[in-house]
């Protein structure tokens, strides 16, 4: 409770007390009329001033709600200013046939629109343009009712008695509809919003009662401006300021509701309003006791209202068609995403089964491989001739390559989460070359390195990226051994925030020109189709399917990609792209889910 709100509330209470004391103590006079009218203007101006800041501070549907409330009270304030102009400045009574009465009648329409928005419910879809158009239809319908029922007796055939009777009757119906809307929203809300609707209902009920009481007094010629009949009216005006200053309804409630069903009913009421126009026209034609000028006026008004509301219905239908088309496309997209998700889940289950199988097989293979490697090393230390030594050396190389494949199988079967740290790829490649030195030196491979010394660091796990480098290096050595090549070039470059690693082998006449994604050639893993191909048709990098699958998975987890290229001479290049380390990438990778 701020000091400003307390002072403001105190000033409103002083104005209200002055109006009450004047009504009870002063006799009928111009001074009483002036004091009452000016006080009521001040109270309504205070209400507008208390609601307007809420409309400016709010967003979205809340802003629309407070704007509609402010507009409704502003129209009421405008009507009171006109009333004050006649009684205070012109010093004469407001005429019975008064065209500005429409301002007082219309001020309830924005209030009904504000309440009908049901902003206390989160995510009400009918705050969209389609729903606002339904409210606009109802707004036009209320204007049409006023022009149809009241105005003919003002302009076509002036008759003060009928004019006032029709105005009071239609105004009473409008107030009853607004009060019923408040009751519905009050029952469907809770907490601060329930309190807000209760205050609006009390203020509106007091105003409706005071209007009815004033009409009763006017009919018996005992009413005058400033009499005690105006006390409830002043109370309702002061209550508006209290709502603007003390309401804490500043956000929707977290509750389950059915905004769609509510929106459907709003649309139905809008259509009922449109279809009521022919009924009013038929009633006008059949009501022969009414003067001809009245009937002509009402028929013209009905035709104009039908034209305006017909255009609004056409625009609404266009918006509805567009919304339905968008919904259809979104549904199709959701179905396609669901199918892709089902395929991914099926593939993940197959890969999980394969991972369990190869994990167990890899553990069983490690023991005999270790024994074979030990025996081959012992054999090299015995007295062998040159040909026997070369064959023993080949046995050791193939056993080591098989162990590398088994390690890839284990990595494929058990993927561990990544610890993201900045990594120097040049240092990583030098480590991989050092570890594989015992494999490529006996083959007399001409190893050439072209490292970019300005290569930025990448973000990832050093052990997993070292595994990728080692696996691609071993595959390249195996390819050179099979094709009789003796040159391997390893280079690093960077462009557009991407670091690139390339392992290039020299070409032979066995190759063909192609460029394909490594993921496409390894997609057969787990489907049993890789062994159905002819060995001569395989990509040269297919020597270790599980090894390449593990590399591909690791690179994808690092938000990179890996692919194989071949030139016309059969030269093969394995390319690995990884994004360089940036603050945005680091945040994204930290928030990314762990691999399944």
């Amino acid at each position: 409770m701020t000091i400003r709100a307390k002072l403001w509330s105190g000033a409103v209470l002083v104005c209200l007390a002055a109006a009450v004391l004047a009504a009870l103590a002063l006799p009928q006079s111009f001074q009483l009329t002036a004091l009452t009218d000016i006080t009521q203007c001040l109270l309504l101006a205070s209400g507008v001033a208390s609601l307007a800041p809420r409309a400016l501070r709010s967003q979205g549907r809340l802003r629309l709600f407070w704007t509609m409330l402010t507009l409704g009270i502003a129209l009421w304030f405008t009507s009171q200013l006109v009333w004050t102009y006649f009684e205070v400045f012109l010093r004469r009574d407001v005429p019975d046939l008064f065209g500005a009465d429409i301002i007082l009648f219309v001020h309830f329409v924005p209030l009904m629109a504000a309440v009908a928005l049901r902003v206390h419910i989160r995510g009400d879809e009918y705050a969209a343009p389609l729903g606002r158009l339904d409210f606009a239809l109802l707004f036009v319908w209320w204007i049409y009712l006023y022009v149809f029922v009241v105005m003919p007796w003002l302009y076509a055939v002036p008759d003060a008695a009928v004019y006032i009777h029709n105005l009071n009757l239609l105004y009473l119906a409008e107030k009853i509809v607004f009060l019923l809307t408040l009751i519905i929203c009050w029952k469907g809300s809770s907490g601060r919003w329930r309190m807000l609707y209760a205050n609006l209902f009390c203020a509106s009920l007091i105003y409706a009662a005071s209007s009815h009481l004033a009409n009763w007094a006017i009919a018996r010629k005992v009413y005058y401006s400033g009499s005690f009949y105006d006390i409830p009216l002043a109370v309702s005006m002061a209550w508006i300021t209290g709502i603007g200053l003390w309401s804490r309804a500043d956000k929707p409630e977290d509750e389950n509701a059915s905004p769609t069903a509510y929106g459907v009913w709003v649309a139905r009421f809008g259509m009922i309003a449109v279809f009521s126009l022919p009924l009013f026209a038929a009633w006008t034609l059949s009501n022969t006791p009414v003067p001809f000028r009245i009937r002509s006026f009402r028929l013209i008004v009905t035709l104009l209202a039908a034209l305006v509301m017909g255009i609004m219905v056409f625009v609404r239908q266009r918006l509805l068609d567009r919304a339905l088309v968008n919904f259809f496309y979104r549904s199709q997209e959701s179905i396609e995403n669901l199918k892709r998700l089902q395929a991914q889940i099926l593939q993940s289950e197959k890969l999980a089964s394969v991972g369990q199988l190869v994990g167990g097989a890899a553990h069983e293979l490690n023991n005999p491989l270790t024994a074979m490697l030990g025996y081959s090393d012992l054999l090299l230390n015995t007295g062998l001739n040159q040909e026997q030594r070369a064959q023993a050396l080949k046995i050791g190389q193939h056993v080591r390559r098989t162990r590398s494949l088994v390690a890839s199988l284990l990595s494929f079967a058990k993927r561990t989460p990544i610890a993201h740290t900045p990594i120097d790829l040049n240092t990583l490649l030098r480590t991989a070359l050092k570890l594989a030195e015992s494999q490529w030196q006996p083959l007399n491979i001409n190893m050439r390195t072209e490292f970019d010394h300005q290569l930025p660091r990448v973000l990832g796990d050093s052990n997993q990226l070292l595994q990728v480098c080692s696996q691609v290096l071993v595959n390249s050595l195996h390819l050179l051994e099979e094709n009789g090549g003796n040159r391997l070039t390893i280079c690093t470059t960077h462009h557009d925030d991407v670091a690139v690693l390339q392992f290039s082998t020299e070409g032979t006449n066995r190759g063909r020109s192609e460029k394909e994604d490594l993921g496409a050639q390894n997609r057969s893993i787990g489907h049993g189709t890789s062994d159905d191909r002819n060995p001569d048709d395989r990509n040269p990098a297919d020597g270790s399917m599980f090894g390449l699958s593990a590399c591909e998975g690791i690179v994808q987890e690092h938000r990179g990609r890996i692919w194989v290229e071949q030139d016309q001479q059969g030269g093969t290049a394995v390319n690995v792209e990884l994004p360089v380390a940036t603050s945005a990438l680091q945040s994204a990778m930290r928030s990314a889910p762990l691999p399944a």
Side-chain angles (χ1 to χ4, degrees):
M1 185 178 292
T2 62
I3 297 178
R4 173 174 168 272
K6 290 180 180 180
L7 293 176
W8 194 335
S9 300
V12 169
L13 290 177
V14 169
C15 289
L16 179 60
V20 172
L21 291 176
L24 297 176
L26 296 179
Q28 181 180 2
S29 61
F30 172 75
Q31 289 76 14
L32 176 61
T33 300
L35 177 62
T36 301
D37 288 345
I38 293 175
T39 301
Q40 290 178 356
C41 285
L42 290 176
L43 291 175
L44 289 175
S46 173
V48 174
S50 65
L51 294 173
R54 287 185 170 273
L56 296 176
R57 291 195 302 264
S58 304
Q59 298 293 330
R61 297 168 58 236
L62 276 174
R63 170 172 287 184
L64 183 61
F65 171 79
W66 290 109
T67 300
M68 289 293 101
L69 281 184
T70 306
L71 178 60
I73 304 304
L75 289 173
W76 190 7
F77 172 62
T78 304
S79 175
Q80 184 62 37
L81 282 178
V82 175
W83 192 282
T84 303
Y85 172 74
F86 273 89
E87 291 193 333
V88 176
F89 292 94
L90 299 182
R91 296 198 175 193
R92 61 187 181 91
D93 292 335
V94 177
D96 292 333
L97 296 175
F98 190 42
D101 284 336
I102 191 174
I103 301 175
L104 183 64
F105 176 81
V106 167
H107 95 273
F108 264 114
V109 179
L111 298 179
M112 283 191 286
V115 176
L117 282 172
R118 296 206 313 171
V119 290
H120 61 279
I121 296 178
R122 185 182 300 276
D124 193 331
E125 64 187 45
Y126 272 80
L130 193 63
R132 295 191 183 105
L133 197 56
D134 291 328
F135 294 132
L137 274 172
L138 296 176
F139 176 81
V140 173
W141 185 74
W142 278 106
I143 300 294
Y144 162 74
L145 275 185
Y146 183 87
V147 177
F148 182 89
V149 175
V150 179
M151 279 194 171
W153 306 102
L154 176 64
Y155 296 111
V157 179
D159 189 325
V162 179
Y163 171 81
I164 293 175
H165 174 268
N166 290 353
L167 174 61
N168 291 336
L169 189 64
L170 188 61
Y171 197 37
L172 178 62
E174 187 182 35
K175 288 181 284 190
I176 291 174
V177 171
F178 180 60
L179 290 173
L180 290 176
T181 307
L182 282 171
I183 291 174
I184 293 173
C185 290
W186 176 81
K187 290 182 65 177
S189 62
S190 61
R192 296 175 176 178
W193 283 101
R194 194 179 183 91
M195 183 64 66
L196 172 63
Y197 290 133
N199 279 283
L200 282 174
F201 177 81
C202 292
S204 302
L205 183 62
I206 292 174
Y207 172 73
S210 66
S211 298
H212 185 72
L213 186 63
N215 291 333
W216 179 85
I218 291 172
R220 286 157 179 76
K221 301 185 183 302
V222 295
Y223 174 82
Y224 57 89
S225 294
S227 63
F228 69 90
Y229 297 105
D230 284 340
I231 293 177
L233 179 64
V235 171
S236 65
M237 292 176 176
W239 206 313
I240 300 299
T241 300
I243 293 174
L245 290 178
W246 303 113
S247 175
R248 294 294 179 264
D250 52 359
K251 61 182 179 179
E253 300 171 356
D254 291 321
E255 65 175 23
N256 297 323
S258 56
T260 302
Y262 174 78
V264 169
W265 276 108
V266 172
R268 287 175 180 173
F269 282 127
M271 293 300 101
I272 291 173
V274 174
F275 289 126
S276 68
L277 299 182
L279 299 178
F280 282 110
W283 177 75
T284 300
L285 292 174
S286 63
N287 193 12
T288 53
V290 175
F292 176 76
R293 294 184 63 183
I294 298 291
R295 286 185 290 161
S296 300
F297 183 90
R298 286 176 171 175
L299 286 175
I300 292 173
V301 169
T302 303
L303 288 174
L304 292 176
L307 177 62
V308 173
M309 297 179 74
I311 293 174
M312 297 175 69
V313 170
F314 174 77
V315 173
R316 184 188 184 281
Q317 190 62 40
R318 293 283 296 177
L319 292 175
L320 181 60
D321 291 342
R322 186 181 303 173
L324 289 176
V325 170
N326 292 335
F327 177 74
F328 173 74
Y329 285 129
R330 287 198 301 268
S331 299
Q332 274 192 327
E333 184 179 356
S334 299
I335 292 173
E336 302 244 344
N337 291 336
L338 181 59
K339 289 181 179 178
R340 283 196 292 267
L341 180 61
Q342 289 175 339
Q344 291 175 1
I345 292 174
L346 181 61
Q347 181 71 4
S348 299
E349 291 176 351
K350 291 182 178 179
L351 289 177
S353 301
V354 173
Q356 293 177 358
L357 176 64
V358 300
H363 282 294
E364 295 297 329
L365 289 174
N366 265 331
N367 292 331
L369 286 175
T370 302
M372 292 168 62
L373 185 60
Y375 285 127
S376 65
D377 290 341
L378 289 175
L379 189 60
L380 286 174
N381 292 328
T382 60
L384 300 175
N385 56 37
Q386 186 174 1
E387 182 180 357
Q388 292 171 337
R389 182 172 292 276
Q391 292 176 351
L393 189 60
K394 277 191 175 183
I395 292 174
Q397 291 171 354
H398 283 284
V399 171
R400 287 186 176 88
R401 185 173 179 276
T402 306
R403 288 187 65 184
S404 177
L405 175 59
V406 170
S408 299
L409 291 174
L410 289 173
S411 176
F412 177 81
K414 296 180 180 179
R415 194 75 57 80
T416 57
I418 302 174
H420 302 291
T421 56
I423 298 170
D424 184 0
L425 290 179
N426 292 335
T427 303
L428 206 67
L429 284 171
R430 293 189 185 96
T431 303
L433 286 172
K434 188 68 175 176
L435 293 175
E437 187 175 3
S438 60
Q439 300 183 49
W440 58 267
Q441 280 189 347
L443 299 176
N444 295 321
I445 298 296
N446 182 11
M447 189 70 65
R448 181 182 177 187
T449 57
E450 298 176 0
F451 292 160
D452 182 0
H453 298 290
Q454 303 297 325
L455 186 70
R457 294 175 179 266
V458 300
L459 202 65
D461 183 85
S462 59
N463 292 327
Q464 292 192 358
L465 291 180
L466 178 60
Q467 177 186 340
V468 171
C469 296
S470 300
Q471 184 64 54
V472 175
L473 179 59
V474 170
N475 282 4
S476 300
L477 294 175
H478 179 64
L479 181 63
L480 286 174
E481 184 182 4
E482 287 185 347
N483 294 341
N486 64 350
R487 175 178 294 181
L488 175 61
T489 302
I490 303 175
C491 64
T492 58
T493 57
H494 75 280
H495 60 84
D496 298 333
D497 294 333
V498 174
V500 182
L501 287 69
Q502 188 178 66
F503 298 79
S504 304
T505 61
E506 67 177 2
T508 65
N509 55 6
R510 296 177 53 185
R512 63 180 185 271
S513 176
E514 63 179 22
K515 179 178 180 178
E516 57 181 320
D517 186 1
L518 185 61
Q521 71 188 30
N522 285 338
R523 214 165 277 132
S524 60
I525 299 174
H527 291 274
T529 60
S530 61
D531 293 334
D532 298 336
R533 297 179 296 173
N534 190 309
D536 294 334
D537 295 334
R538 292 188 181 183
N539 189 283
D542 283 346
S544 178
M545 295 298 291
F546 284 108
L548 292 178
S549 295
C551 293
E552 181 191 9
I554 292 172
V555 172
Q556 287 179 352
E557 290 169 13
H558 286 75
R559 297 177 179 258
R561 68 187 187 106
I562 179 172
W563 75 95
V564 179
E565 290 180 322
Q566 284 186 276
D567 56 24
Q568 294 288 349
Q569 290 75 32
T572 302
V574 180
N575 301 276
V576 179
E577 281 189 357
L578 295 169
V580 300
T582 60
S583 58
L585 176 65
Q586 192 167 359
S587 300
M589 295 186 75
R590 283 176 179 172
S591 61
L594 292 175

